[in-house]
Amino acid sequence: MAQHNGSRFRSPRTGRHRVEALIPKVLLFMALISVFTTIGIVLTLLFETVAFFREVSFLEFVTADKWTALFSAEQREFGIMPLVAGTLLVTVGAAFVAIPIGIGSAIFLSEYAPDGLRKVVKPMLEVLAGIPTIVYGFFALTFVTPLLRQVFPGMGVFNALSASLVVGIMIIPMIASLSEDAMRSVPRGIREAAYALGATKLEVAVRVVLPAALSGVIASFVLGISRAIGETMIVTIAAGATPNLTLDMTDSIQTMTAYMVQAATGDNTYGSTPYLSIYAVGMTLFIFTFIMNMLAQFIARRYKEEY
């Protein structure tokens, strides 16, 4: 009888223990999905890129100043520099727009805004992050570009300035939200100590809170810039499809992502050199964003403050 009661008591616990033992394996499987997906993407890029460089000189790829990959076979040149220059031009322009506005918004929300106002303004700011990028692209083409052409009459319909302004607007929520979170994580006691020494509200915000949250703030900058480098639809619609090696923001340019869209939607034959060039450009873009993400993690660890 005692033995029978003991088996009734142990039975539900055994089932629960089996479930508990199974959960780590299920969670590990979920984690491995992401890991193996990443490995698969990198290997696909790597294999196709190697195939591309069997047909095109690596030295030409990194040093030539013309990119005419979609022209006829006799006119094709594969110098990545115009695409890299176009990408960096848009990214730098976007950073000039997004960083001052983003950090200003973060300081206001963290240090000046009452709780009630912050609960309204911050979600509204983050709505920008939910807008599809193709909408941003048409906003740049049909609203921003006409305004800019009134200032610069000679500017074409497709130009780097319009695209960079709108990409900058797109990444403002990321920079503002992450920076505001970093600044609000600074302990209240540090602010009160500064006030006790006679500091003004602006001095506390700029000279105490902002330096204390520097790792998170800079990480938000790097992540925002990394997002701008990888942006596709806005630059495809607004910046044009002309791979120019130029620093003139009013010129039509082409970024790496815009070229990949153009080549992928064309009639390139599978396995042809123009088709393989998509992967070579993709690998270049992957290296750029990988370096930016590693830089963000390094800065976050290097300047992290423990409270």
Side-chain angles (χ1 to χ4, degrees), residues 184-206:
R184 285 182 66 83
S185 68
V186 176
R188 188 73 189 169
I190 294 179
R191 293 176 174 82
E192 292 173 350
Y195 286 130
L197 293 174
T200 65
K201 201 171 188 65
L202 180 61
E203 289 172 335
V204 172
V206 176

Side-chain angles (χ1 to χ4, degrees), residues 26-74:
V26 173
L27 296 178
L28 174 63
F29 174 73
M30 293 179 178
L32 289 178
I33 289 175
S34 300
V35 173
F36 284 121
T37 301
T38 304
I39 293 173
I41 292 172
V42 172
L43 289 178
T44 302
L45 276 177
L46 188 61
F47 290 145
E48 300 292 352
T49 302
V50 169
F52 172 78
F53 284 118
R54 288 197 185 104
E55 301 181 19
V56 177
S57 162
F58 178 76
L59 190 62
E60 176 193 346
F61 185 74
V62 298
T63 60
D65 59 358
K66 288 186 179 178
W67 181 268
T68 55
L70 303 182
F71 285 21
S72 62
E74 297 77 19

Side-chain angles (χ1 to χ4, degrees), residues 152-233:
F152 306 103
M155 190 170 69
V157 173
F158 302 106
N159 58 84
L161 182 57
S162 176
S164 61
L165 288 175
V166 176
V167 171
I169 292 171
M170 182 194 69
I171 63 175
I172 285 173
M174 176 184 288
I175 293 177
S177 182
L178 293 176
S179 297
E180 192 259 345
D181 289 341
M183 294 175 72
R184 285 182 66 83
S185 68
V186 176
R188 188 73 189 169
I190 294 179
R191 293 176 174 82
E192 292 173 350
Y195 286 130
L197 293 174
T200 65
K201 201 171 188 65
L202 180 61
E203 289 172 335
V204 172
V206 176
R207 303 177 67 174
V208 176
V209 177
L210 190 58
L214 190 62
S215 64
V217 171
I218 293 180
S220 76
F221 293 168
V222 178
L223 289 173
I225 292 170
S226 180
R227 176 74 179 82
I229 291 175
E231 169 49 32
T232 303
M233 292 312 301

Side-chain angles (χ1 to χ4, degrees), residues 33-305:
I33 289 175
S34 300
V35 173
F36 284 121
T37 301
T38 304
I39 293 173
I41 292 172
V42 172
L43 289 178
T44 302
L45 276 177
L46 188 61
F47 290 145
E48 300 292 352
T49 302
V50 169
F52 172 78
F53 284 118
R54 288 197 185 104
E55 301 181 19
V56 177
S57 162
F58 178 76
L59 190 62
E60 176 193 346
F61 185 74
V62 298
T63 60
D65 59 358
K66 288 186 179 178
W67 181 268
T68 55
L70 303 182
F71 285 21
S72 62
E74 297 77 19
Q75 297 176 308
R76 284 175 192 158
E77 295 189 52
F78 295 95
I80 191 71
M81 292 305 296
L83 298 182
V84 172
T87 302
L88 294 181
L89 199 60
V90 170
T91 302
V92 171
F96 271 107
V97 173
I99 290 178
I101 297 176
I103 194 65
S105 302
I107 291 174
F108 172 75
L109 292 172
S110 172
E111 305 302 314
Y112 287 90
D115 283 345
L117 181 60
R118 190 180 70 84
K119 290 178 181 176
V120 173
V121 172
K122 188 173 181 181
M124 290 178 66
L125 184 67
E126 291 174 344
V127 166
L128 283 173
I131 297 175
T133 56
I134 192 167
V135 176
Y136 279 111
F138 283 108
F139 171 71
L141 184 65
T142 60
F143 181 77
V144 177
T145 297
L147 289 179
L148 292 174
R149 294 183 74 183
Q150 295 182 11
V151 180
F152 306 103
M155 190 170 69
V157 173
F158 302 106
N159 58 84
L161 182 57
S162 176
S164 61
L165 288 175
V166 176
V167 171
I169 292 171
M170 182 194 69
I171 63 175
I172 285 173
M174 176 184 288
I175 293 177
S177 182
L178 293 176
S179 297
E180 192 259 345
D181 289 341
M183 294 175 72
R184 285 182 66 83
S185 68
V186 176
R188 188 73 189 169
I190 294 179
R191 293 176 174 82
E192 292 173 350
Y195 286 130
L197 293 174
T200 65
K201 201 171 188 65
L202 180 61
E203 289 172 335
V204 172
V206 176
R207 303 177 67 174
V208 176
V209 177
L210 190 58
L214 190 62
S215 64
V217 171
I218 293 180
S220 76
F221 293 168
V222 178
L223 289 173
I225 292 170
S226 180
R227 176 74 179 82
I229 291 175
E231 169 49 32
T232 303
M233 292 312 301
I234 297 174
V235 292
T236 300
I237 294 172
T242 311
N244 280 330
L245 186 56
T246 178
L247 295 178
D248 188 347
M249 298 286 285
T250 62
D251 275 353
S252 173
I253 52 101
Q254 188 171 43
T255 65
M256 290 187 278
T257 52
Y259 167 73
M260 293 171 71
V261 171
Q262 183 188 18
T265 54
D267 54 357
N268 295 307
T269 306
Y270 176 80
S272 64
T273 306
Y275 172 81
L276 294 175
S277 70
I278 297 172
Y279 293 92
V281 175
M283 177 59 82
T284 307
L285 185 64
F286 173 77
I287 292 171
F288 268 84
T289 54
F290 179 77
I291 291 172
M292 294 300 292
N293 286 330
M294 290 297 102
L295 181 62
Q297 291 187 21
F298 169 77
I299 291 171
R301 287 196 300 266
R302 176 68 177 80
Y303 297 101
K304 185 178 181 180
E305 297 283 352

